[in-house]
Amino acid sequence: MDLYLAGNTYSVKKQCTPDVAILESFYYADEWTEELIPELKRFLLDSGAFTFFSAGKKTDWNKYLDKYVDFINRNNVKNFFELDIDCIIGYKAVLRLRERLEYKTGRKCIPVWHKSRGREEFLKMCDEYDYVALGGIVSKEIKHDEYKYFPWFINEAHKRNAKIHALGFTNLKGIEKYHFDSVDSTSWTAGSRFGAVYKFDGRTITTYRRCKGKKISNPKEAARHNFNEWIKFQKYAEKYL
C-alpha cells in the first residue's frame, strides 16, 4: 500500500527524499510545491476545489479548472484528481469539468466516487479508469459503520484491473484491515497542532500525548520528528500492507 502524507509539508521540505510519497492540494500549492514535484517519484495532486468553496470563496469553476490545468501541465503532474464537487454543482456538471480537464491535460484524471453517484457509477469508473478513488471519508459521508463495505469496492476495482485510493483515510487499524492500493493521511500534522509525539514501533504508529497544562517546547522540531516517524510507517506500509 502506498501511504501518501498530506498536509502542509513546507516545514519539512528538506526531508522529502525522492522515495517519499506526498499528496498536495492545489489550494495550498505554491512555488516550493513546484520545486518539490520533480524530486518525487510518487506525487498526487488534489484539486482543492471543495476546500476553496468551504473557505467561502465564490468562483467561476471553469476559470478555476483552467488554473488547475495550467499547474498540472506546467509541472508535468501525472496523477491528479478530478474536481469532485458534486454537492456544489451536481454530478453532470462535474462530468463536464472532468471531460474538459482530461482534454486540456491530455491525461486521464483520478475520478472520485461519492455515495450520491451510486453503485453502477462506481463500476463504470473502474471499467473506464485504471486508478479510482473513494471520497467522503473525511466529511463522514461514508460513516464508520459503512467501512465494512470497503472490501466490495476494493474487490470490484481489482476485478476490473483498477487501483483504488481512499481519500483522507487515516484509520490505522483500517489501513491494516482494508487493502487499498493507496491512502493519504494528514495525521502526522496533528502532533504539533495538538501536542502529541508519534513513534513508529516497527509495525504501526504509537501516540504519546503531552501532559495536561504543558506545551510542546519546539513545535517545528516536533513536526519534523513526527514527519520522519510517519515516513518510516510509510515505508513499512509500502512493503507489508
Side-chain angles (χ1 to χ4, degrees), residues 138-225:
V138 175
S139 65
K140 302 294 191 296
E141 173 191 325
I142 296 178
K143 298 176 176 58
H144 193 277
D145 63 1
E146 294 176 309
Y147 288 5
K148 61 187 176 185
Y149 300 117
F150 284 165
W152 180 86
F153 287 96
I154 295 166
N155 292 336
E156 291 299 325
H158 289 170
K159 198 185 296 182
R160 291 163 170 77
N161 298 313
K163 291 168 58 179
I164 182 167
H165 181 93
L167 273 164
F169 190 51
T170 61
N171 186 299
L172 290 173
K173 290 184 179 179
I175 288 173
E176 290 191 29
K177 183 176 181 180
Y178 304 111
H179 303 295
F180 289 102
D181 295 288
S182 58
V183 299
D184 65 273
S185 175
T186 59
S187 291
W188 71 271
T189 67
S192 55
R193 286 187 288 122
F194 301 115
V197 172
Y198 296 121
K199 180 71 177 175
F200 176 63
D201 64 8
R203 182 176 176 179
T204 189
I205 292 288
T206 300
T207 304
Y208 297 92
R209 303 193 183 280
R210 63 177 172 79
C211 297
K212 189 175 181 180
K214 292 189 176 181
K215 296 181 179 180
I216 295 289
S217 59
N218 191 332
K220 288 186 178 180
E221 184 59 35
R224 283 191 287 268
H225 168 84

